[in-house]
Amino acid sequence: MSTIVKHSGIIVSTEGTTARVRIKQSSACGSCQVSRHCSVAEAKEKIIEAHHSHAKLTPGDEVIVSTSAHTAWCAVAIGFIVPLILLLVILVCAKWQGFSDEASALLALGILIPYYFIIWLFRNSFSRKMLFLIEEPM
């Protein structure tokens, strides 16, 4: 059974069956009652594109945006886990080949440039596979 990840958000704009939705991404302690006195608590606003089948969505409407947990994990893997593994593998291989610490570190960091460029090139393919859906207007 697939778990669903949900966020509430506000529609910024709509175009056809796609809506740009502003969601508030909060840290684990963002809902804590003493979070406004704590410097660790943080909350960020993100704008995402979500697909909908509701004909009358207008900017300012509150909606619930959802995606599958599988999609969320794929995004985390592509954005963080694979680059970390790639960075560590290149770092270890460069040190094993006798490069200096500085050269190994620069080579490992430099490999991320083509990685993220390739991700950018295939962004349309990813956006078709990793969908956010608007479940219902609130």
PDB file of all heavy atoms in Angstrom, residues 32-59:
ATOM      1  N   CYS A  32       5.886  23.183  16.820  1.00  0.00           N
ATOM      2  CA  CYS A  32       6.068  23.227  18.269  1.00  0.00           C
ATOM      3  C   CYS A  32       5.620  24.582  18.806  1.00  0.00           C
ATOM      4  O   CYS A  32       5.816  25.614  18.162  1.00  0.00           O
ATOM      5  CB  CYS A  32       7.543  22.973  18.607  1.00  0.00           C
ATOM      6  SG  CYS A  32       7.919  23.088  20.360  1.00  0.00           S
ATOM      7  N   GLN A  33       5.041  24.602  19.991  1.00  0.00           N
ATOM      8  CA  GLN A  33       4.512  25.841  20.552  1.00  0.00           C
ATOM      9  C   GLN A  33       5.600  26.830  20.942  1.00  0.00           C
ATOM     10  O   GLN A  33       5.345  28.022  21.007  1.00  0.00           O
ATOM     11  CB  GLN A  33       3.627  25.529  21.758  1.00  0.00           C
ATOM     12  CG  GLN A  33       2.372  24.786  21.355  1.00  0.00           C
ATOM     13  CD  GLN A  33       1.463  24.548  22.543  1.00  0.00           C
ATOM     14  OE1 GLN A  33       1.744  24.958  23.641  1.00  0.00           O
ATOM     15  NE2 GLN A  33       0.348  23.886  22.275  1.00  0.00           N
ATOM     16  N   VAL A  34       6.805  26.371  21.215  1.00  0.00           N
ATOM     17  CA  VAL A  34       7.877  27.292  21.584  1.00  0.00           C
ATOM     18  C   VAL A  34       8.808  27.575  20.406  1.00  0.00           C
ATOM     19  O   VAL A  34       9.863  28.172  20.583  1.00  0.00           O
ATOM     20  CB  VAL A  34       8.695  26.764  22.792  1.00  0.00           C
ATOM     21  CG1 VAL A  34       7.855  26.729  24.030  1.00  0.00           C
ATOM     22  CG2 VAL A  34       9.305  25.429  22.492  1.00  0.00           C
ATOM     23  N   SER A  35       8.397  27.199  19.199  1.00  0.00           N
ATOM     24  CA  SER A  35       9.282  27.342  18.045  1.00  0.00           C
ATOM     25  C   SER A  35       9.587  28.809  17.727  1.00  0.00           C
ATOM     26  O   SER A  35      10.639  29.112  17.189  1.00  0.00           O
ATOM     27  CB  SER A  35       8.686  26.661  16.828  1.00  0.00           C
ATOM     28  OG  SER A  35       7.481  27.278  16.451  1.00  0.00           O
ATOM     29  N   ARG A  36       8.692  29.731  18.066  1.00  0.00           N
ATOM     30  CA  ARG A  36       8.977  31.133  17.751  1.00  0.00           C
ATOM     31  C   ARG A  36      10.063  31.701  18.651  1.00  0.00           C
ATOM     32  O   ARG A  36      10.635  32.733  18.362  1.00  0.00           O
ATOM     33  CB  ARG A  36       7.714  31.964  17.809  1.00  0.00           C
ATOM     34  CG  ARG A  36       6.989  31.927  19.113  1.00  0.00           C
ATOM     35  CD  ARG A  36       5.609  32.553  18.944  1.00  0.00           C
ATOM     36  NE  ARG A  36       4.738  31.988  19.928  1.00  0.00           N
ATOM     37  CZ  ARG A  36       4.320  32.642  20.981  1.00  0.00           C
ATOM     38  NH1 ARG A  36       4.655  33.893  21.169  1.00  0.00           N
ATOM     39  NH2 ARG A  36       3.536  32.053  21.859  1.00  0.00           N
ATOM     40  N   HIS A  37      10.388  31.024  19.740  1.00  0.00           N
ATOM     41  CA  HIS A  37      11.456  31.460  20.625  1.00  0.00           C
ATOM     42  C   HIS A  37      12.749  30.695  20.363  1.00  0.00           C
ATOM     43  O   HIS A  37      13.757  30.947  20.996  1.00  0.00           O
ATOM     44  CB  HIS A  37      11.053  31.255  22.088  1.00  0.00           C
ATOM     45  CG  HIS A  37       9.793  31.966  22.444  1.00  0.00           C
ATOM     46  ND1 HIS A  37       9.707  33.338  22.479  1.00  0.00           N
ATOM     47  CD2 HIS A  37       8.560  31.498  22.745  1.00  0.00           C
ATOM     48  CE1 HIS A  37       8.471  33.681  22.819  1.00  0.00           C
ATOM     49  NE2 HIS A  37       7.759  32.579  22.977  1.00  0.00           N
ATOM     50  N   CYS A  38      12.707  29.760  19.439  1.00  0.00           N
ATOM     51  CA  CYS A  38      13.838  28.872  19.181  1.00  0.00           C
ATOM     52  C   CYS A  38      14.461  29.239  17.840  1.00  0.00           C
ATOM     53  O   CYS A  38      13.760  29.428  16.850  1.00  0.00           O
ATOM     54  CB  CYS A  38      13.341  27.427  19.154  1.00  0.00           C
ATOM     55  SG  CYS A  38      14.610  26.230  18.785  1.00  0.00           S
ATOM     56  N   SER A  39      15.776  29.318  17.792  1.00  0.00           N
ATOM     57  CA  SER A  39      16.445  29.670  16.538  1.00  0.00           C
ATOM     58  C   SER A  39      16.578  28.473  15.610  1.00  0.00           C
ATOM     59  O   SER A  39      16.940  28.634  14.453  1.00  0.00           O
ATOM     60  CB  SER A  39      17.831  30.246  16.832  1.00  0.00           C
ATOM     61  OG  SER A  39      18.632  29.261  17.459  1.00  0.00           O
ATOM     62  N   VAL A  40      16.290  27.272  16.075  1.00  0.00           N
ATOM     63  CA  VAL A  40      16.413  26.072  15.253  1.00  0.00           C
ATOM     64  C   VAL A  40      15.212  25.912  14.327  1.00  0.00           C
ATOM     65  O   VAL A  40      15.336  25.435  13.212  1.00  0.00           O
ATOM     66  CB  VAL A  40      16.568  24.822  16.155  1.00  0.00           C
ATOM     67  CG1 VAL A  40      16.583  23.560  15.331  1.00  0.00           C
ATOM     68  CG2 VAL A  40      17.823  24.936  16.993  1.00  0.00           C
ATOM     69  N   ALA A  41      14.033  26.327  14.780  1.00  0.00           N
ATOM     70  CA  ALA A  41      12.813  26.142  13.995  1.00  0.00           C
ATOM     71  C   ALA A  41      12.878  26.981  12.727  1.00  0.00           C
ATOM     72  O   ALA A  41      13.295  28.125  12.751  1.00  0.00           O
ATOM     73  CB  ALA A  41      11.598  26.535  14.827  1.00  0.00           C
ATOM     74  N   GLU A  42      12.476  26.385  11.624  1.00  0.00           N
ATOM     75  CA  GLU A  42      12.487  27.108  10.364  1.00  0.00           C
ATOM     76  C   GLU A  42      11.313  26.662   9.519  1.00  0.00           C
ATOM     77  O   GLU A  42      10.829  25.555   9.629  1.00  0.00           O
ATOM     78  CB  GLU A  42      13.788  26.888   9.608  1.00  0.00           C
ATOM     79  CG  GLU A  42      14.030  25.442   9.242  1.00  0.00           C
ATOM     80  CD  GLU A  42      15.329  25.231   8.513  1.00  0.00           C
ATOM     81  OE1 GLU A  42      16.380  25.475   9.107  1.00  0.00           O
ATOM     82  OE2 GLU A  42      15.261  24.829   7.346  1.00  0.00           O
ATOM     83  N   ALA A  43      10.857  27.558   8.677  1.00  0.00           N
ATOM     84  CA  ALA A  43       9.804  27.235   7.726  1.00  0.00           C
ATOM     85  C   ALA A  43      10.110  27.973   6.431  1.00  0.00           C
ATOM     86  O   ALA A  43      10.497  29.134   6.455  1.00  0.00           O
ATOM     87  CB  ALA A  43       8.438  27.646   8.268  1.00  0.00           C
ATOM     88  N   LYS A  44       9.945  27.292   5.301  1.00  0.00           N
ATOM     89  CA  LYS A  44      10.231  27.872   4.000  1.00  0.00           C
ATOM     90  C   LYS A  44       9.003  27.739   3.126  1.00  0.00           C
ATOM     91  O   LYS A  44       8.264  26.781   3.229  1.00  0.00           O
ATOM     92  CB  LYS A  44      11.399  27.146   3.334  1.00  0.00           C
ATOM     93  CG  LYS A  44      12.688  27.206   4.096  1.00  0.00           C
ATOM     94  CD  LYS A  44      13.737  26.375   3.390  1.00  0.00           C
ATOM     95  CE  LYS A  44      14.991  26.299   4.211  1.00  0.00           C
ATOM     96  NZ  LYS A  44      15.985  25.402   3.636  1.00  0.00           N
ATOM     97  N   GLU A  45       8.819  28.709   2.262  1.00  0.00           N
ATOM     98  CA  GLU A  45       7.746  28.625   1.291  1.00  0.00           C
ATOM     99  C   GLU A  45       8.320  28.152  -0.035  1.00  0.00           C
ATOM    100  O   GLU A  45       9.361  28.611  -0.468  1.00  0.00           O
ATOM    101  CB  GLU A  45       7.064  29.975   1.122  1.00  0.00           C
ATOM    102  CG  GLU A  45       6.177  30.340   2.283  1.00  0.00           C
ATOM    103  CD  GLU A  45       5.337  31.569   2.002  1.00  0.00           C
ATOM    104  OE1 GLU A  45       5.547  32.225   0.974  1.00  0.00           O
ATOM    105  OE2 GLU A  45       4.467  31.855   2.829  1.00  0.00           O
ATOM    106  N   LYS A  46       7.632  27.200  -0.662  1.00  0.00           N
ATOM    107  CA  LYS A  46       8.035  26.659  -1.956  1.00  0.00           C
ATOM    108  C   LYS A  46       6.863  26.800  -2.915  1.00  0.00           C
ATOM    109  O   LYS A  46       5.706  26.711  -2.514  1.00  0.00           O
ATOM    110  CB  LYS A  46       8.388  25.169  -1.849  1.00  0.00           C
ATOM    111  CG  LYS A  46       9.434  24.837  -0.834  1.00  0.00           C
ATOM    112  CD  LYS A  46      10.789  25.009  -1.397  1.00  0.00           C
ATOM    113  CE  LYS A  46      11.803  24.574  -0.348  1.00  0.00           C
ATOM    114  NZ  LYS A  46      13.132  24.792  -0.735  1.00  0.00           N
ATOM    115  N   ILE A  47       7.168  27.026  -4.177  1.00  0.00           N
ATOM    116  CA  ILE A  47       6.131  27.047  -5.199  1.00  0.00           C
ATOM    117  C   ILE A  47       6.346  25.826  -6.087  1.00  0.00           C
ATOM    118  O   ILE A  47       7.435  25.628  -6.628  1.00  0.00           O
ATOM    119  CB  ILE A  47       6.163  28.347  -6.011  1.00  0.00           C
ATOM    120  CG1 ILE A  47       5.831  29.526  -5.103  1.00  0.00           C
ATOM    121  CG2 ILE A  47       5.196  28.257  -7.186  1.00  0.00           C
ATOM    122  CD1 ILE A  47       5.832  30.867  -5.773  1.00  0.00           C
ATOM    123  N   ILE A  48       5.321  25.000  -6.189  1.00  0.00           N
ATOM    124  CA  ILE A  48       5.397  23.786  -7.000  1.00  0.00           C
ATOM    125  C   ILE A  48       4.300  23.816  -8.058  1.00  0.00           C
ATOM    126  O   ILE A  48       3.319  24.553  -7.932  1.00  0.00           O
ATOM    127  CB  ILE A  48       5.246  22.517  -6.131  1.00  0.00           C
ATOM    128  CG1 ILE A  48       3.893  22.508  -5.419  1.00  0.00           C
ATOM    129  CG2 ILE A  48       6.374  22.400  -5.134  1.00  0.00           C
ATOM    130  CD1 ILE A  48       3.568  21.180  -4.790  1.00  0.00           C
ATOM    131  N   GLU A  49       4.482  23.018  -9.096  1.00  0.00           N
ATOM    132  CA  GLU A  49       3.448  22.865 -10.112  1.00  0.00           C
ATOM    133  C   GLU A  49       2.689  21.579  -9.839  1.00  0.00           C
ATOM    134  O   GLU A  49       3.297  20.529  -9.625  1.00  0.00           O
ATOM    135  CB  GLU A  49       4.065  22.829 -11.504  1.00  0.00           C
ATOM    136  CG  GLU A  49       4.600  24.162 -11.937  1.00  0.00           C
ATOM    137  CD  GLU A  49       5.065  24.169 -13.386  1.00  0.00           C
ATOM    138  OE1 GLU A  49       4.978  23.120 -14.061  1.00  0.00           O
ATOM    139  OE2 GLU A  49       5.520  25.233 -13.824  1.00  0.00           O
ATOM    140  N   ALA A  50       1.370  21.679  -9.822  1.00  0.00           N
ATOM    141  CA  ALA A  50       0.526  20.524  -9.549  1.00  0.00           C
ATOM    142  C   ALA A  50      -0.564  20.431 -10.612  1.00  0.00           C
ATOM    143  O   ALA A  50      -1.014  21.454 -11.143  1.00  0.00           O
ATOM    144  CB  ALA A  50      -0.102  20.648  -8.165  1.00  0.00           C
ATOM    145  N   HIS A  51      -0.963  19.220 -10.911  1.00  0.00           N
ATOM    146  CA  HIS A  51      -2.010  18.992 -11.902  1.00  0.00           C
ATOM    147  C   HIS A  51      -3.361  18.874 -11.199  1.00  0.00           C
ATOM    148  O   HIS A  51      -3.444  18.403 -10.072  1.00  0.00           O
ATOM    149  CB  HIS A  51      -1.712  17.722 -12.701  1.00  0.00           C
ATOM    150  CG  HIS A  51      -0.437  17.830 -13.460  1.00  0.00           C
ATOM    151  ND1 HIS A  51      -0.334  18.502 -14.643  1.00  0.00           N
ATOM    152  CD2 HIS A  51       0.802  17.371 -13.185  1.00  0.00           C
ATOM    153  CE1 HIS A  51       0.902  18.453 -15.072  1.00  0.00           C
ATOM    154  NE2 HIS A  51       1.621  17.764 -14.197  1.00  0.00           N
ATOM    155  N   HIS A  52      -4.423  19.309 -11.896  1.00  0.00           N
ATOM    156  CA  HIS A  52      -5.760  19.269 -11.295  1.00  0.00           C
ATOM    157  C   HIS A  52      -6.807  18.988 -12.355  1.00  0.00           C
ATOM    158  O   HIS A  52      -6.552  19.110 -13.549  1.00  0.00           O
ATOM    159  CB  HIS A  52      -6.067  20.593 -10.579  1.00  0.00           C
ATOM    160  CG  HIS A  52      -6.152  21.770 -11.499  1.00  0.00           C
ATOM    161  ND1 HIS A  52      -7.308  22.121 -12.130  1.00  0.00           N
ATOM    162  CD2 HIS A  52      -5.215  22.662 -11.899  1.00  0.00           C
ATOM    163  CE1 HIS A  52      -7.093  23.198 -12.879  1.00  0.00           C
ATOM    164  NE2 HIS A  52      -5.824  23.541 -12.758  1.00  0.00           N
ATOM    165  N   SER A  53      -7.970  18.611 -11.875  1.00  0.00           N
ATOM    166  CA  SER A  53      -9.104  18.394 -12.776  1.00  0.00           C
ATOM    167  C   SER A  53     -10.282  19.281 -12.373  1.00  0.00           C
ATOM    168  O   SER A  53     -11.373  19.102 -12.883  1.00  0.00           O
ATOM    169  CB  SER A  53      -9.532  16.919 -12.746  1.00  0.00           C
ATOM    170  OG  SER A  53      -9.892  16.561 -11.429  1.00  0.00           O
ATOM    171  N   HIS A  54     -10.033  20.217 -11.484  1.00  0.00           N
ATOM    172  CA  HIS A  54     -11.086  21.127 -11.017  1.00  0.00           C
ATOM    173  C   HIS A  54     -11.135  22.325 -11.956  1.00  0.00           C
ATOM    174  O   HIS A  54     -10.133  22.984 -12.184  1.00  0.00           O
ATOM    175  CB  HIS A  54     -10.817  21.593  -9.587  1.00  0.00           C
ATOM    176  CG  HIS A  54     -10.573  20.456  -8.642  1.00  0.00           C
ATOM    177  ND1 HIS A  54     -11.588  19.641  -8.208  1.00  0.00           N
ATOM    178  CD2 HIS A  54      -9.443  19.981  -8.075  1.00  0.00           C
ATOM    179  CE1 HIS A  54     -11.091  18.716  -7.407  1.00  0.00           C
ATOM    180  NE2 HIS A  54      -9.794  18.906  -7.308  1.00  0.00           N
ATOM    181  N   ALA A  55     -12.314  22.620 -12.469  1.00  0.00           N
ATOM    182  CA  ALA A  55     -12.445  23.660 -13.480  1.00  0.00           C
ATOM    183  C   ALA A  55     -12.347  25.069 -12.896  1.00  0.00           C
ATOM    184  O   ALA A  55     -11.921  25.983 -13.577  1.00  0.00           O
ATOM    185  CB  ALA A  55     -13.775  23.499 -14.212  1.00  0.00           C
ATOM    186  N   LYS A  56     -12.717  25.250 -11.654  1.00  0.00           N
ATOM    187  CA  LYS A  56     -12.840  26.608 -11.133  1.00  0.00           C
ATOM    188  C   LYS A  56     -11.819  26.929 -10.049  1.00  0.00           C
ATOM    189  O   LYS A  56     -12.159  27.496  -9.023  1.00  0.00           O
ATOM    190  CB  LYS A  56     -14.247  26.832 -10.609  1.00  0.00           C
ATOM    191  CG  LYS A  56     -15.282  26.755 -11.693  1.00  0.00           C
ATOM    192  CD  LYS A  56     -16.642  27.131 -11.185  1.00  0.00           C
ATOM    193  CE  LYS A  56     -17.646  27.084 -12.328  1.00  0.00           C
ATOM    194  NZ  LYS A  56     -18.952  27.523 -11.920  1.00  0.00           N
ATOM    195  N   LEU A  57     -10.586  26.592 -10.263  1.00  0.00           N
ATOM    196  CA  LEU A  57      -9.548  26.986  -9.320  1.00  0.00           C
ATOM    197  C   LEU A  57      -9.046  28.372  -9.689  1.00  0.00           C
ATOM    198  O   LEU A  57      -8.754  28.651 -10.845  1.00  0.00           O
ATOM    199  CB  LEU A  57      -8.382  25.989  -9.346  1.00  0.00           C
ATOM    200  CG  LEU A  57      -8.657  24.613  -8.762  1.00  0.00           C
ATOM    201  CD1 LEU A  57      -7.427  23.731  -8.904  1.00  0.00           C
ATOM    202  CD2 LEU A  57      -9.053  24.703  -7.312  1.00  0.00           C
ATOM    203  N   THR A  58      -8.972  29.231  -8.701  1.00  0.00           N
ATOM    204  CA  THR A  58      -8.506  30.588  -8.933  1.00  0.00           C
ATOM    205  C   THR A  58      -7.375  30.911  -7.963  1.00  0.00           C
ATOM    206  O   THR A  58      -7.272  30.297  -6.894  1.00  0.00           O
ATOM    207  CB  THR A  58      -9.648  31.609  -8.730  1.00  0.00           C
ATOM    208  OG1 THR A  58     -10.163  31.463  -7.406  1.00  0.00           O
ATOM    209  CG2 THR A  58     -10.767  31.392  -9.731  1.00  0.00           C
ATOM    210  N   PRO A  59      -6.526  31.857  -8.322  1.00  0.00           N
ATOM    211  CA  PRO A  59      -5.460  32.252  -7.398  1.00  0.00           C
ATOM    212  C   PRO A  59      -6.031  32.672  -6.049  1.00  0.00           C
ATOM    213  O   PRO A  59      -7.040  33.358  -5.971  1.00  0.00           O
ATOM    214  CB  PRO A  59      -4.788  33.421  -8.112  1.00  0.00           C
ATOM    215  CG  PRO A  59      -5.031  33.161  -9.566  1.00  0.00           C
ATOM    216  CD  PRO A  59      -6.401  32.532  -9.606  1.00  0.00           C
TER     217      PRO A  59
END
